[in-house]
Amino acid sequence: MDILVGLTLQIDDAGVGDLLFGVVVGAHRKETREFHYEVIPVSYFQEPYFRRKLYLKKATEITQSLLTQMKLGVDEEVEICSSFLFDETRPTLVKQFGEKRIHVAAITGEAQTNVETAYLDEIRNLGYEPISERDDKRAKSFFHMLRWVKKNPDRLKYAKTGWPRLRRYIRIR
């Protein structure tokens, strides 16, 4: 077994604030550029799971799985995004690995790009083409996704319908 020393694993998410699909949770090793991701299914952002915040437990489960897949080294540090999605994950990792190895960080650069690209690929697999300026124009992106869902009611199954404010814009069965 290789022991990885002096490396940093970065954990980030993408899609949590978007209407469509679930959420991509990704792990990126800065030094080797290795990248893995898994998906929190959209059902975790729909009732009855959403109200019970089961997406938090799923984020922890997926993060643990990614750390195992990437064979976290004995002294390897972990940088984890400050997103609310990881509110249960961060203390779990601190308890497991110690405060010296787990750091809350703004995930940028290649790690962020990889996770975001994985999310965009997943929503394209639904048949949806995101707007090019979606990061800069969140509201425009939301309404673009909403119009796509409204064009075909069968697409509602791809939407994060648990968000209470969504009911202002669409009738949820």
Side-chain angles (χ1 to χ4, degrees), residues 155-173:
R155 295 174 179 165
L156 192 60
K157 66 186 175 204
Y158 303 131
K160 294 180 181 88
T161 56
W163 300 118
R165 289 190 296 199
L166 184 59
R167 285 169 173 67
R168 294 180 194 172
Y169 306 108
I170 193 168
R171 206 179 121 163
I172 298 169
R173 302 176 227 146

Side-chain angles (χ1 to χ4, degrees), residues 79-93:
E79 293 178 350
I80 186 166
C81 174
S82 61
S83 167
F84 74 88
L85 186 73
F86 299 117
D87 283 355
E88 287 186 13
T89 308
R90 288 185 297 271
T92 299
L93 295 181

